[in-house]
Structures are given as structure tokens and as C-alpha cells.
């Protein structure tokens, strides 16, 4: 059963957005991805961790345009947006400092729509022992500045696997995971900074006290069966979009990846 706030309404002027880390698009395509995609019936679908190079898959959906970003490293990272609402343009993401961010990891797709910028993101993992934490901190500072620059022009809808559980309520075992990747004080602090810069975590905005709401589960120890998970997949919006949020849902009933899709409905 999906988790989230589902109001009763009947309004045709809505936009449904879905975000999902598929942990390999070719793999999930063998698990009824077409059926899942069509059942979600979203206007915009953002995927992360596609693990593809250009030309490695032939996939399309009737009525949808697609916008891809590929990592230079084979079988790694990668993002894509499928949209049946044509954007005004694809935004060229500013080049990151090559000394700090070597290579292209395919982590961002940015589209401009009439009323907002869409940023589909696969945030770097700090990795075991926090050995990539310095990179992660630089990434967070870069992206926060970039989101604020976009927000100065028009509202932002920022989504994806952000690789952080912000609060203790956002994972099953906060005490034993303290200072592990995804739940370090440093990573959580950067999320706090982002939200303090004029953005809102849509799920927590509507569901401040809901427990057991997770989007990622380890494949080990029957974690998903026991709901021993983490909420690390988000829809984050500019504060001034808060009154337009109609629901923010976690589709924990959908399988196919170690993550599940999350959904946002805006009017």
C-alpha cells in the first residue's frame, strides 16, 4: 500500500511527477517496467541509476519525450527524464570544477517548464567509511548554489535519490547507522542547509509524523520484508510551491528495484 497524504479532490489542472532509482534500467525492464510505467500514468517520470551508455537500450513510451544523461564510466550512475509535457528547453548544467569533479557521472538532467525548473538528480554516495565525503560535501554546496540560482528565476522541483536520510524518523535504525554513509551529521546538515535556503521536503511537509515511510531497502537480511529501510528519495520544491502540493506519495507497493518510486502531485 502506498504511503502518503491523498486528499479527496477532482481537479483536472494537475501535474503528476514520479521519481525512481531503478538500479539498472536494463534489469528493471525485465521486471515489467513497461507495465509499472503505464500504471503510474505520470506526466513526468525521472529515473536515476540507469547504468547505461548511449545506445545501449532502445526504450520509448507513446507520447513521451526523453532526456538522458550518461556517465563516462560504463555501468554506472546515469539519469533520464520521460515527459509528455514538452519543456521549454533542456538546461545546460554549468561545468563543475574539473579538479574537484573529474569526469562526467551523468547525475543531473535539468529541464525548464513554463512554471518551474525540474532537476532530476542522483546524488553521489559518501561510500563506506565516508571515504567520498569530501566530494559529497563539495557536490552539496555546488548544487545548493545552483538550485538557488534557478529559484531566483522561477520555482524549482528537485527530485531523485539524494542519498541521505534527513531525520531519525527517516530510517529504521538511526542509532546504529549514525555516521554511516547517508546518515552522517555532515550529509544531514547539508540537507538542513538546503531546506533553510527556501525549499521544502514535500513528503515531510504533508506527513510530519509518519513513521516507517521508506524508499530504499538493502537486498540483505530480508530488509524489505521487515521494512528495515531508509527514506532517501525525495521531491523537494521551492517554498512558494507549498500551497500547490496536493500529495506526496511513497509507492512502497511497487517492486523491481531496491528503491521504490515516489510521486508528487502539483496543481
Amino acid at each position: 500500500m502506498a504511503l502518503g497524504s491523498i486528499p479527496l479532490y477532482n481537479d483536472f489542472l494537475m501535474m503528476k511527477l514520479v521519481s525512481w532509482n531503478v538500479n539498472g534500467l536494463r534489469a528493471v525492464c525485465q521486471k515489467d517496467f513497461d507495465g509499472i510505467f503505464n500504471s503510474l500514468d505520470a506526466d513526468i517520470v525521472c529515473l536515476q541509476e540507469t547504468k547505461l551508455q548511449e545506445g545501449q537500450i532502445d526504450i520509448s513510451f507513446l507520447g513521451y519525450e526523453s532526456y538522458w544523461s550518461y556517465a563516462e564510466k560504463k555501468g554506472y550512475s546515469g539519469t533520464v527524464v520521460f515527459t509528455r509535457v514538452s519543456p521549454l528547453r533542456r538546461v545546460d548544467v554549468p561545468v563543475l570544477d574539473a579538479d574537484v569533479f573529474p569526469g562526467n557521472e551523468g547525475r543531473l538532467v535539468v529541464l525548464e517548464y513554463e512554471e518551474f525548473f525540474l532537476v532530476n538528480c542522483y546524488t553521489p554516495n559518501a561510500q563506506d567509511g565516508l571515504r567520498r565525503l569530501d566530494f559529497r560535501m563539495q557536490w552539496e554546496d555546488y548544487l545548493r548554489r545552483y538550485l538557488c540560482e534557478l529559484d531566483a528565476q522561477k520555482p524549482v522541483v528537485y527530485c531523485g535519490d539524494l542519498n541521505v536520510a534527513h531525520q531519525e524518523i527517516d530510517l529504521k535504525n538511526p542509532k546504529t547507522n549514525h555516521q554511516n554513509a547517508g546518515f552522517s551529521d555532515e550529509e544531514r546538515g547539508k540537507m538542513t542547509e538546503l531546506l533553510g535556503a527556501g525549499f521544502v521536503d514535500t513528503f515531510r511537509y504533508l506527513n510530519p509524523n509518519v513513521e516507517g515511510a521508506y524508499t530504499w531497502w538493502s537486498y540483505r537480511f530480508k530488509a524489505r520484508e521487515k521494512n528495515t529501510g531508509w527514506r532517501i528519495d525525495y521531491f523537494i520544491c521551492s517554498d512558494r510551491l507549498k500551497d500547490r502540493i496536493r500529495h506526496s506519495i511513497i509507492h512502497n507497493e511497487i517492486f523491481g528495484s531496491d528503491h521504490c518510486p515516489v510521486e508528487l502531485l502539483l496543481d
Side-chain angles (χ1 to χ4, degrees):
M1 180 178 181
L3 288 166
S5 175
I6 308 177
L8 297 175
Y9 61 87
N10 184 16
D11 189 336
F12 295 100
L13 299 176
M14 296 284 176
M15 178 172 284
K16 181 193 285 190
L17 303 94
V18 166
S19 175
W20 192 12
N21 179 322
V22 292
N23 192 16
L25 185 53
R26 283 173 293 181
V28 81
C29 281
Q30 299 175 25
K31 303 173 184 177
D32 192 31
F33 178 68
D34 284 10
I36 294 170
F37 186 100
N38 291 324
S39 70
L40 287 167
D41 192 28
D43 298 298
I44 300 172
V45 177
C46 300
L47 305 182
Q48 304 88 41
E49 206 171 0
T50 56
K51 298 184 179 180
L52 291 171
Q53 309 304 120
E54 188 170 6
Q56 282 192 305
I57 195 171
D58 181 13
I59 185 171
S60 61
F61 296 96
L62 184 63
Y64 287 84
E65 305 168 23
S66 60
Y67 298 85
W68 299 78
S69 183
Y70 304 100
E72 291 178 358
K73 181 179 177 181
K74 291 184 178 179
Y76 181 74
S77 189
T79 47
V80 62
V81 176
F82 293 96
T83 177
R84 62 186 179 197
V85 180
S86 294
L88 300 177
R89 64 182 176 117
R90 178 172 185 165
V91 180
D92 293 328
V93 180
V95 176
L96 282 63
D97 185 335
D99 293 330
V100 176
F101 304 101
N104 174 22
E105 297 192 350
R107 294 187 177 275
L108 290 171
V109 175
V110 181
L111 302 178
E112 182 179 4
Y113 289 88
E114 187 70 33
E115 296 191 355
F116 60 85
F117 287 103
L118 174 73
V119 179
N120 177 22
C121 178
Y122 178 39
T123 298
N125 192 301
Q127 300 186 352
D128 292 343
L130 301 179
R131 65 181 184 273
R132 212 184 189 198
L133 184 62
D134 288 346
F135 175 92
R136 172 66 179 268
M137 295 296 96
Q138 292 163 334
W139 169 274
E140 293 286 353
D141 289 339
Y142 158 81
L143 196 61
R144 185 179 64 256
R145 289 194 299 268
Y146 181 55
L147 293 174
C148 288
E149 289 172 5
L150 294 178
D151 186 53
Q153 301 172 55
K154 64 175 65 174
V156 173
V157 176
Y158 170 47
C159 70
D161 174 1
L162 304 188
N163 261 318
V164 62
H166 184 216
Q167 304 174 29
E168 289 193 355
I169 195 175
D170 293 319
L171 73 167
K172 180 69 172 181
N173 296 311
K175 289 183 172 54
T176 56
N177 281 294
H178 181 232
Q179 287 306 103
N180 285 344
F183 198 61
S184 68
D185 294 340
E186 294 86 348
E187 292 164 295
R188 297 170 66 197
K190 292 300 182 184
M191 175 63 84
T192 299
E193 284 186 56
L194 174 64
L195 298 179
F199 298 90
V200 59
D201 172 354
T202 63
F203 183 83
R204 278 289 165 233
Y205 173 65
L206 296 180
N207 307 280
N209 301 311
V210 171
E211 299 180 359
Y214 308 131
T215 65
W216 174 82
W217 303 261
S218 170
Y219 281 131
R220 304 172 65 192
F221 309 121
K222 298 183 178 180
R224 189 155 188 179
E225 181 180 326
K226 298 175 182 177
N227 198 30
T228 304
W230 298 49
R231 188 176 72 93
I232 60 175
D233 301 85
Y234 295 79
F235 270 102
I236 290 176
C237 293
S238 298
D239 274 343
R240 60 190 184 278
L241 289 178
K242 284 195 298 190
D243 292 341
R244 298 180 60 181
I245 299 168
R246 288 297 168 261
H247 73 222
S248 186
I249 286 178
I250 295 173
H251 281 288
N252 60 346
E253 81 284 5
I254 294 178
F255 290 76
S257 168
D258 52 350
H259 295 248
C260 72
V262 294
E263 177 183 319
L264 176 69
L265 189 68
L266 291 174
D267 68 15

